Amino acid sequence: MSEYRSVFCDEIRTHLSIREVELTSEAYRHYKRTITLFDEYLCRINHTEKKISESVIEDWIKEVSTSISVNTSSLHVHYIRQLLLYLIDCGYPCFIPRTVRTKDTYVPYLYSDKDIEKIFEAADSLTVSKAVKNVLIEKEMPLILRLLFCCGLRVGETLNIKVGDVDFRRNLIILRVTKKYKQRVVPYEEELSEIIYRYCVAMGILNDSEAYLFPAEDRYSHVSANSVENYYRIIRKKADIGNKNSIKNGRGACLHCFRHSFAIRSFDKNERYGIKACESVPYLSTYLGHDSLYETEKYLKYSGDYFEDTLTKFEDYSGDLFPEVNFDE
């Protein structure tokens, strides 16, 4: 990353090295592009101070938003906020711009019970060539997919779990590398606990707290998000689940949609147990690692075939809680 030349070049390189681990390859590509544009801008205006003022940010947003859509502009603002928050954590004073609120248009794929059954069956019977770089992937994919579906984890969070982060006695996972750098504790059910324990024994990593739960070439490096995505395509095809969504703006059956499915299933389960939405949604928001209910809204407020009653209940609860606005106040 030697191309960065601004006064924050060292911090940017470190920040991007962290984000590369957390994000998928496609998301990281877009993220890096925004940060590169900001670095170039700082060089162009000869910015030499180790601080970022409001005027610097506002002028950059105006420049970068020229001749692009509101959605693309909002992504630039969202990405640059992450860098600025990191710089603040490093001790540098920075102005944080408001988040641009845009209407969420894409519709995630909701996995049905039958989908999950076929996916797990395909994952459990996955075989790979011994010539591949990580021959352990056929053992790892079944547990990776179960953690994504059963715990609603992000892919990056899952791959960064170390054996020492798993509390087998209390059935908890400590997520130390997460989006926005906020650690959180995720509980899991007894059935999954047995699977994780047997997996660690089979992999020979049970007593090595520094080993990654999903190792790559050695136990102290983890499998890449790209590998997981590639092998999930194989599993999805084997399970006969297409990635094309007939719904307008449909996302298709991707890995991140496990997280959406977890959110809506959790809300549905709470409703069936008589837990009020005003009690379950804030808890779910915390569990998912969201900063606000606005983030959780994106996971619950959309149409679907499998949970129509639940979605209607959420809309009844949210009502005017999430009005359509242009900017956060």
Side-chain angles (χ1 to χ4, degrees):
M1 297 183 187
S2 58
E3 67 269 25
Y4 301 106
R5 306 188 311 276
S6 73
V7 67
F8 289 109
C9 60
D10 291 337
E11 289 78 11
I12 286 176
R13 293 188 189 103
T14 302
H15 176 68
L16 285 177
S17 68
I18 296 172
R19 297 301 280 158
E20 187 173 14
V21 172
E22 298 172 335
L23 300 173
T24 63
S25 58
E26 185 66 12
Y28 176 71
R29 183 174 68 84
H30 290 291
Y31 190 90
K32 181 181 177 182
R33 175 57 179 163
T34 296
I35 304 305
T36 299
L37 289 173
F38 186 66
D39 180 82
E40 292 172 349
Y41 171 76
L42 293 180
C43 291
R44 192 164 59 255
I45 66 173
N46 296 316
H47 185 83
T48 58
E49 294 182 288
K50 280 281 192 172
K51 63 180 181 179
I52 302 292
S53 66
E54 179 177 355
S55 62
V56 169
I57 292 299
E58 294 296 337
D59 288 345
W60 177 77
I61 292 175
K62 289 178 182 178
E63 178 180 304
V64 80
S65 299
T66 303
S67 302
I68 62 175
S69 69
V70 174
N71 282 345
T72 302
S73 177
S74 70
L75 281 177
H76 281 312
V77 174
H78 173 70
Y79 292 156
I80 209 62
R81 279 171 55 91
Q82 307 310 306
L83 172 64
L84 295 171
L85 289 171
Y86 173 76
L87 293 177
I88 288 176
D89 287 341
C90 292
Y92 304 114
C94 297
F95 170 77
I96 305 298
R98 295 178 297 176
T99 301
V100 179
R101 294 286 294 167
T102 59
K103 188 174 181 180
D104 209 1
T105 56
Y106 90 87
V107 180
Y109 184 92
L110 285 180
Y111 291 101
S112 67
D113 291 341
K114 187 64 176 178
D115 288 339
I116 296 302
E117 181 181 335
K118 293 193 296 182
I119 288 171
F120 285 172
E121 182 179 345
D124 291 345
S125 60
L126 175 69
T127 57
V128 300
S129 168
K130 298 304 179 184
V132 300
K133 194 172 184 180
N134 182 14
V135 295
L136 300 173
I137 195 70
E138 62 186 31
K139 298 178 181 179
E140 296 170 337
M141 285 302 297
L143 181 56
I144 289 173
L145 295 181
R146 282 171 169 83
L147 286 177
L148 296 180
F149 177 71
C150 298
C151 298
L153 305 184
R154 301 179 180 95
V155 176
E157 294 173 343
T158 304
L159 302 184
N160 275 284
I161 297 173
K162 292 185 177 181
V163 176
D165 299 329
V166 182
D167 187 331
F168 292 99
R169 184 174 62 85
R170 296 184 294 172
N171 292 352
L172 299 173
I173 297 175
I174 302 173
L175 298 178
R176 303 184 189 277
V177 182
T178 68
K179 187 176 181 180
K180 299 180 182 177
Y181 320 110
K182 293 184 177 180
Q183 294 185 12
R184 71 181 191 274
V185 177
V186 173
Y188 54 87
E189 296 184 355
E190 189 65 38
E191 184 178 354
L192 186 57
S193 176
E194 181 68 17
I195 294 174
I196 297 174
Y197 182 83
R198 289 179 177 274
Y199 165 87
C200 289
V201 171
M203 294 285 283
I205 57 176
L206 181 63
N207 297 315
D208 190 343
S209 62
E210 289 301 311
Y212 279 101
L213 193 60
F214 303 107
E217 292 80 14
D218 62 76
R219 62 178 60 185
Y220 304 115
S221 62
H222 62 73
V223 65
S224 70
N226 282 341
S227 290
V228 174
E229 290 174 348
N230 291 336
Y231 281 101
Y232 179 62
R233 293 189 189 99
I234 296 173
I235 292 169
R236 188 180 61 220
K237 184 176 181 180
K238 186 177 179 181
D240 195 28
I241 298 175
N243 192 38
K244 300 297 182 181
N245 198 321
S246 59
I247 302 174
K248 182 179 179 181
N249 298 316
R251 183 167 190 159
C254 66
L255 285 171
H256 195 66
C257 287
F258 282 109
R259 186 165 159 87
H260 286 272
S261 297
F262 169 84
I264 197 64
R265 284 171 178 269
S266 297
F267 185 79
D268 177 72
K269 182 178 179 180
N270 288 337
E271 282 289 329
R272 295 179 187 280
Y273 277 104
I275 302 175
K276 296 179 180 179
C278 61
E279 298 173 350
S280 66
V281 172
Y283 175 81
L284 180 59
S285 183
T286 300
Y287 184 97
L288 292 171
H290 291 159
D291 282 340
S292 69
L293 296 183
Y294 284 105
E295 294 182 64
T296 310
E297 176 206 11
K298 294 188 295 185
Y299 286 80
L300 295 173
K301 203 173 182 180
Y302 51 82
S303 60
D305 296 328
Y306 308 121
F307 302 98
E308 290 182 355
D309 291 342
T310 300
L311 292 165
T312 299
K313 289 176 182 177
F314 176 73
E315 289 175 356
D316 290 341
Y317 157 69
S318 61
D320 296 329
L321 183 61
F322 303 119
E324 291 295 339
V325 293
N326 291 325
F327 294 94
D328 282 334
E329 297 297 335

